[in-house]
Amino acid sequence: MTTDMTGGRALVRALAAHGVTQAFGIPGTHNLEIYRHLDAYGIAHLNPRHEQGAGYAADAYARVTGRPGVAITTTGPALLNIAAAVGQAYSDSVPLLVVSPGMPLRHPRLATGLLHEMRSQTDALRAVAAFSHRVSTVEEIGAAVARAWTLFRTERPRPAHIEVPLDLLTETAAAGPVRLAPPAVPATPGAGASAAAAEALRGARRPALVLGGGARAAAPECRALAEGLDAWVVTTANGKGILAETHPLSLGVSLHSPVVRRRLAEECDALLAVGTELAESDLWTTEPLALRGPLIRADLDPAQMYAGLPADIALVGDARETVRALLAGLGADREAGAAARTAAALRAERDAETAGRDARWLPYLRALREELAADAVVTSDSAQCCYYGALPHLPVGPEGRYLHPTGFGTLGYALPAAIGAKAAAPERQVVALSGDGGLQFSVQELATAVQLRLPLPVVVFDNGGYGEIRDEMAARGDRPVAVDLPPPGVPPVDLSALARAYGGHGARAGTPAELADALHKALRTPGPTVITVPEEPVVRPEEPAR
């Protein structure tokens, strides 16, 4: 049935038809026709204070719900503001849809100085998204949205951008019938490849599994496979918690550990990698894993079979269907126990190699874990307390989530991501974990967190600046430059007081016990609570003689 409507209404209608009930964004002069129709189609809206925050919130919403996150921007600078979040979603395979207005359909090629005019929004977003689609008719809008959902359902999920020219947003024209993406039909690997993989795993003396974010929907099957094989299980940052990190076979997030990589190379005679790139961001080195047995890669993306470390046996398909096929081909379980005993010793060896660096965070992380429910969501930042501390040392199970900006490695993710996670699951505990440098990339989102009127602790380890970069400069023998926040002679920012200024709450935790008390209260107090954990005083080098 053909219906006349504006492009803005056609866009919102198409989003609602695909099950969208929540959007994030900021109204602007050029996108008001989109906002006009949100209420009528039952789409709630949350307005962060910056488009980058909207992107991170929509990203976390998608990770927690398993449904695509939607962000609305206006033209020009607003769209560029969200580009970093789009890049992060691309890196972490998150289904994020950004919708925006664009220059009018009949806009001249030569610049005219129209508000927010830029040379090509689609080219800019195409550089960080899976695709950027500029529609040319009102009727095409529905097809563009269906195209995005087809990507999300049938391919490796990655962000997409749809641009609707300004004149089409307000123009009334035939919109055509609602276009719906086809339902997903899980892809299954070939029977021959599955049989070869099952045989390799069955015949291995010491098989092991590496689980990435692409394995999350197959968590029960992956556990059954690990137990049936009596195999070590290592996860990437995005796969954290797919197998409970308290499970006897779990080595947790450990691909970056030299001792774990060495033991895999020396002892593992068959490795199954499910839903992971095995990338530098997983290994923390450009050196690929050294393996003495076959590498079996299972991934929805066929390109992963040849990227980085090529597969000896390639299983292209849905993770759950793939692991189920392997389980069916394994036959009787082997005797359990040997891998669990060696895993415990290997975990201790892994922790010993970084004890001097990581010990400062461990008591605080234990206090954090004891206060959190099993299904709590922890959002993370590119901060030392997160990638050195929480990633390997904060146990998470499949009922909980740990959201980390892997790969692209953006700063400022934790707070707006926590807002998106809380919007997705208001009944679950959500805690943001950050450093003082990363928090200040998006600290304005405290105002958004106040709007939620829901408990949202923000735990900030304050080391007085960009600690990682300060350490790297020192390791090079350089005098640290521009890494102290604030610089010498300037009073430090009181982050807890800043939270109160936004209408939230603030606390200071100088000991693990004080963190536990502050967190206990914050989880029961509506609004954000910034809990500052001071780290060792920054040792500032003396100024050189002039």
Side-chain angles (χ1 to χ4, degrees), residues 328-541:
L330 284 178
D333 293 349
R334 67 177 69 202
E335 184 180 351
R341 288 192 296 273
T342 55
L346 184 48
R347 285 194 299 270
E349 194 175 353
R350 174 204 70 183
D351 293 345
E353 72 183 353
T354 58
R357 182 194 65 197
D358 300 349
R360 54 179 160 162
W361 296 297
L362 299 188
Y364 292 96
L365 293 172
R366 282 193 291 269
L368 182 67
R369 181 68 272 173
E370 289 170 4
E371 285 295 326
L372 294 181
D375 69 344
V377 179
V378 178
T379 64
S380 176
D381 222 323
S382 290
Q384 290 181 317
C385 60
C386 298
Y387 47 75
Y388 293 142
L391 269 178
H393 301 300
L394 180 69
V396 173
E399 64 273 41
R401 286 301 300 271
Y402 186 92
L403 310 185
H404 185 69
T406 312
F408 206 54
T410 186
L411 272 170
Y413 178 83
L415 173 56
I419 290 168
K422 197 66 176 177
E427 74 289 351
R428 291 171 68 176
Q429 295 175 341
V430 177
V431 175
L433 182 61
S434 187
D436 56 304
L439 178 70
Q440 292 181 78
F441 270 56
S442 55
V443 71
Q444 70 279 353
E445 302 306 345
L446 287 170
T448 314
V450 169
Q451 291 175 212
L452 285 177
R453 299 181 181 178
L454 295 170
L456 188 61
V458 182
V459 179
V460 185
F461 285 84
D462 188 348
N463 61 16
Y466 303 118
E468 178 69 26
I469 308 306
R470 182 194 294 127
D471 291 349
E472 290 180 15
M473 287 179 171
R476 289 163 50 93
D478 299 342
R479 183 177 69 85
V481 176
V483 290
D484 293 335
L485 297 176
V490 178
V493 176
D494 186 339
L495 295 172
S496 299
L498 184 59
R500 291 191 289 270
Y502 274 111
H505 316 278
R508 185 177 176 87
T511 67
E514 289 175 352
L515 175 60
D517 289 344
L519 189 60
H520 183 84
K521 181 179 179 182
L523 288 168
R524 293 157 180 79
T525 302
T529 302
V530 171
I531 305 171
T532 304
V533 180
E535 294 200 294
E536 290 297 319
V538 176
V539 179
R540 304 184 190 276

